[in-house]
Amino acid sequence: MAETIKTKVLIIGAGTGGYVAGIRCGQLGLDTILVDGGDGLGGTCLNVGCIPSKAIIHAASKFETVSKAAAGGTLGITAAKPAIDLSQTVAWKDGIVKKLNNGVAALLKKSKVKVIKGWAEFSDAKTCTVKTADGDITISAEHVILATGSEPVELPFLKFGGDVISSTEALSLPAVPKKLVVVGGGYIGLELGIAFRKLGAEVAIVEMADRLLPLYDKALTDPVAKWLEKHGVELHLGARAGSFEKGQLNVTTKDGAAIQLKADKVLVTVGRRPRTRGWGLENMGVAMAGPFVKIDDRCATSMKNVWAVGDLTGEPMLAHKGSAQGEVVAEIIAGHDRRFDPVTIAAVCFTEPEIVSAGLGPLDVEGRDDVITAVFPLAAIGRALALEAGDDGGFVRVLASKSDHRLLGLQAVGQHVSELSNSFAQMLEMGAVLEDVAGTIHVHPTMGEAFHEASLRALGHAIHI
């Protein structure tokens, strides 16, 4: 039976942008409906992205540790040769996802947000029909927040299905593939490729660019490339993938040679695109910026009282960006004066080793003579050595203005450096100068001491180098 509902705020998409916007709207006393038509509460990140991938990466690292212990011992620890039942690992991962799903549901309920499960289609900017299991519901709203997220890009000659998989399927495989070929050397492909190598798969990576993670400078990516080489991951750089037939992926190498790579599974990770199709965006009259919905610094679209957050609005396509935008929009609707204008949005690659980047990097300041750059190696940090994290070429790098010592950018590569990302973002957001970092007593022994020492080095007086 058809039903019609009116509401103050209608949110489309229950990912990190949408559900956070919903909770904040509820906290502010706004009558709010959240339509969840995608992966479930928490969206891509919680269900088939950030959280499950980090769970699999963690399990893979545990397996690798035991494998080392079995292959002659490590840190004085020996063990029998381990085995992996990936179906049990996946079940454990699914348990984490379910727990978080339930947590989000409870928070939305506490905030009095009405959640409707179904796929929405807009007939105009403020009206949509949601197809649910119990029939159609028409919703009209004073404010609409679009938070539909993104989806994996599919190659026309490597369509998803069967043994050609996206990251979604990779996170739920019943067994470790003997041979895995990853098409795309960005962060998603590398994170999963490295995890499956740790789990025992033979892994090959095919990347069109001449090097891995081309958005980062070579110094940051070199430790990752060395790990791949050391662990026998086959790299085909400057290469183009073709069709997949009879268990073999056709590849054109950098030199133009045609080769075939055997594969039990082909993981395609060539990027993500905003989810703009299938829900009536074309009927809403909002302006676009290329493939993305165009917004201003209030996350407002060109249509009055229609807002957009998260991956739908452009790069960086990161969960924490969407969450921050969702909070801003909720507060604006409630009458607060807010803008989305961060100094930086830090990004992390959970590769081996990890990479963190916030603010400007060397490629952004190339040719400038008004910038101080200082690097401090993790090999000189006691905590890093105690965690076996000091021998992979890792470092922390600081970029600052010569004139006033204002921090411009911060990067790190090494095991466990993802935990430095919030400190990096905080210092940049507060407009810190090198002396602020140098004058902060950093706890010993921690990885964060490398940030302190890099700042001291930029000032010309590092202690431990």
Side-chain angles (χ1 to χ4, degrees), residues 373-377 394-398 450 453-454 457-458 465:
T373 301
V375 173
F376 193 86
F395 60 83
V396 170
R397 181 171 60 208
V398 171
E453 289 277 11
R457 196 173 195 186
I465 198 166

Side-chain angles (χ1 to χ4, degrees), residues 13-16 18-19 34-48 97-98 100-109 113 115-117:
T16 47
Y19 90 73
L34 174 64
V35 177
D36 169 23
D39 302 302
L41 295 178
T44 294
C45 175
L46 195 157
N47 292 278
V48 293
V97 170
K98 185 176 180 182
L100 291 169
N101 280 147
N102 292 339
V104 172
L107 290 168
L108 288 164
K109 185 177 180 181
V113 176
V115 177
I116 297 175
K117 181 78 176 171

